[in-house]
Amino acid sequence: MQHRSILFTFLACLLGVVSHAQTYSILIKGGTVIDPKNNINQVMDVGIFEGKVKKVAKDIDPKEARQVVDAKGMYVTPGLIDIHGHVFFGTEPNHYLSNGLVALPPDGFTFRVGVTTIVDAGGAGWDSFSEFKNNVIFNSKTRVLSFLNIVGQGMRGGNWEQDTADMDPNLAAGVAIKNRNDVVGFKVAHFQGKDWKPVDNAVKAGKLANMPVMVDFGGSTPPLPLEELFMKHLRPGDIYTHAYTLLEGNIRETIVDEATQKVKPFAIEARKRGIVFDVGYGGASFNYSQAIPAMKAGFYPTTISTDLHTGSMNGSMKDMLSIMSKFYNMGMDLPAIIKASTWEPAKVIHREQLGHITEGAIADVAVFSMRKGNFGFYDKTGYKVEGKEKLECELTVMGGKIVYDLNGITSPIYLTK
């Protein structure tokens, strides 16, 4: 009987160890969870198991997790969603952002700043999408989605993007519908003519596929009027990117009157109508002279995005966290910034399974610290705003796996097999 009692005790202990070890694969402990969808902004723990968020609660026992992330003093948020990047990278000359040398491989530029989902904004068109899917989407750890260019050749630059004969809404919609897991909408960009056809064809494709349209608008002199774009051509839910830009040469109307420093009334009405205002920072698409008065008027971006490519990342844009830090230093509060970088873009692209830390949701999670110091945030004109705080990514979890850990805040850092 004594041997049997010892055996039962041993088995019970063994089962207890196994059950504890299997409760959570990752436990993110002690951080301030900011989850705008669920209105959470407080210190909580996040337990992850089998690729999903298993539990969000206070004081989860660290003995129940295989790996524990010490997030004390840090912010824990959903994985960031960058809805305007350029990741259709390749080696073809004269291909610009469509299988060309100016786009970037996503995995090298996403996880290190907390981005788990990036949308390629128009690099691929209906004619080049299969190559983008096979080369980039299938071979990236980052979740890569696509705004399909209304131009069949995609964003090759030059005359390719001026060819209205290649802007076929039916072919574009057909490719989008066939690839609903990967395509989230349509893109219009870089058209320089005095013609609404590119926008109208993209919107037609959007109606056929039930998807939004992102518009990089302007190029003609004088520019086509923004009010007409917002009120007569776009639909609620469509996206106006590069919202805070002032381009030289009077080729794109601004949303802020540079003389009065007031947000134009039609922009306010467009927002009420449901037009999405996206940052789309880019290499030349953000000016403090537009952003600062807009912030003072409470005209905040619906979504924050990078317009990532080789030019913007080495210019004033840098990365997603640099832009978020700019808006923080302009007075936008951190929960609103997180919302514009997670839950709002998830809704805009109709991917509501992303952008939040709900129990049962996909475990895309980012951990950030707020660095203290003296920082300079400048725009393309050289205008600089100085700040004392800057977001820095400490750790990124993608689909329940740690894909980036800056300072080894995970214990153990690596699991032994």
Side-chain angles (χ1 to χ4, degrees):
M1 291 293 294
Q2 185 177 3
H3 291 298
R4 184 177 296 178
S5 176
I6 292 171
L7 179 61
F8 283 158
T9 301
F10 173 75
L11 289 172
C13 291
L14 181 62
L15 288 170
V17 169
V18 170
S19 64
H20 272 172
Q22 293 180 341
T23 303
Y24 306 105
S25 51
I26 302 167
L27 176 61
I28 302 173
K29 190 158 185 63
T32 298
V33 174
I34 301 179
D35 181 7
K37 178 183 186 293
N38 294 302
N39 296 312
I40 297 173
N41 185 5
Q42 60 179 303
V43 174
M44 300 188 83
D45 297 343
V46 178
I48 294 168
F49 184 68
E50 293 185 342
K52 300 291 182 68
V53 177
K54 185 171 183 180
K55 191 173 184 180
V56 181
K58 291 183 176 292
D59 299 324
I60 299 174
D61 188 350
K63 294 179 181 178
E64 296 182 12
R66 295 184 71 198
Q67 289 180 293
V68 179
V69 176
D70 181 7
K72 186 177 181 180
M74 301 175 190
Y75 297 102
V76 180
T77 80
L80 304 185
I81 302 173
D82 182 355
I83 66 166
H84 187 158
H86 291 287
V87 292
F88 188 3
F89 72 103
T91 58
E92 295 293 331
N94 201 28
H95 271 242
Y96 191 37
L97 295 167
S98 181
N99 200 28
L101 298 161
V102 181
L104 292 163
D107 293 349
F109 302 90
T110 50
F111 297 147
R112 61 178 50 248
V113 290
V115 172
T116 51
T117 301
I118 190 165
V119 187
D120 182 80
W126 56 264
D127 190 43
S128 56
F129 179 76
S130 61
E131 189 170 25
F132 175 56
K133 185 172 182 175
N134 290 329
N135 290 359
V136 180
I137 293 176
F138 282 165
N139 290 290
S140 300
K141 292 182 179 179
T142 309
R143 184 180 296 100
V144 177
L145 303 170
S146 173
F147 277 112
L148 201 65
N149 204 310
I150 194 59
V151 178
Q153 287 283 309
M155 205 168 282
R156 284 193 62 180
N159 292 332
W160 285 284
E161 294 187 69
Q162 310 307 314
D163 184 4
T164 56
D166 196 27
M167 301 177 186
D168 191 312
N170 296 301
L171 289 172
V175 171
I177 291 168
K178 186 179 178 180
N179 295 275
R180 280 194 179 276
N181 287 338
D182 307 302
V183 177
V184 297
F186 303 92
K187 176 78 182 291
V188 178
H190 307 158
F191 186 68
Q192 297 173 359
K194 295 179 179 297
D195 192 341
W196 291 102
K197 185 175 181 179
V199 172
D200 291 342
N201 279 7
V203 170
K204 183 177 179 181
K207 290 177 179 177
L208 290 170
N210 191 27
M211 295 178 181
V213 169
M214 174 182 279
V215 178
D216 171 358
F217 190 67
S220 63
T221 305
L224 292 171
L226 276 184
E227 184 172 9
E228 186 174 348
L229 173 71
F230 295 154
M231 300 304 180
K232 295 184 179 180
H233 294 272
L234 297 184
R235 306 158 295 164
D238 287 338
I239 306 145
Y240 177 64
T241 194
H242 306 318
Y244 303 102
T245 187
L246 170 65
L247 294 180
E248 294 181 3
N250 190 32
I251 60 174
R252 181 186 297 165
E253 188 179 358
T254 59
I255 62 169
V256 171
D257 187 311
E258 288 275 317
T260 65
Q261 292 290 281
K262 301 291 185 183
V263 177
K264 295 176 181 178
F266 69 76
I268 296 169
E269 288 303 312
R271 164 157 281 171
K272 291 177 182 176
R273 184 172 177 256
I275 300 300
V276 173
F277 287 85
D278 175 56
V279 173
Y281 192 109
S285 297
F286 176 90
N287 293 70
Y288 274 123
S289 65
Q290 287 286 302
I292 290 174
M295 294 304 102
K296 288 180 179 177
F299 198 90
Y300 295 159
T302 317
T303 53
I304 293 173
S305 68
T306 59
D307 186 12
L308 177 72
H309 50 72
T310 59
S312 64
M313 63 162 280
N314 290 320
S316 70
M317 188 279 287
K318 305 294 188 298
D319 54 41
M320 191 74 166
L321 292 184
S322 177
I323 301 167
M324 292 164 68
S325 297
K326 277 183 168 76
F327 279 92
Y328 183 72
N329 281 278
M330 282 190 287
M332 192 173 175
D333 68 73
L334 189 58
I337 290 168
I338 299 302
K339 185 177 183 180
S341 308
T342 57
W343 180 231
E344 284 296 339
K347 291 189 293 181
V348 167
I349 62 173
H350 301 168
R351 290 295 189 274
E352 287 85 353
Q353 71 271 33
L354 305 175
H356 52 93
I357 316 180
T358 308
E359 291 180 3
I362 297 168
D364 287 2
V365 184
V367 179
F368 302 113
S369 58
M370 187 68 82
R371 286 185 61 189
K372 310 291 184 181
N374 297 312
F375 306 108
F377 303 101
Y378 59 93
D379 69 6
K380 68 181 184 184
T381 71
Y383 185 93
K384 186 170 73 171
V385 172
E386 295 183 351
K388 299 292 185 182
E389 294 179 302
K390 179 180 181 180
L391 286 164
E392 184 169 76
C393 181
E394 293 285 348
L395 179 128
T396 305
V397 176
M398 168 79 187
K401 295 182 180 179
I402 295 171
V403 291
Y404 180 77
D405 185 343
L406 179 64
N407 290 302
I409 60 175
T410 306
S411 179
I413 296 173
Y414 295 116
L415 291 172
T416 55
K417 295 182 179 180

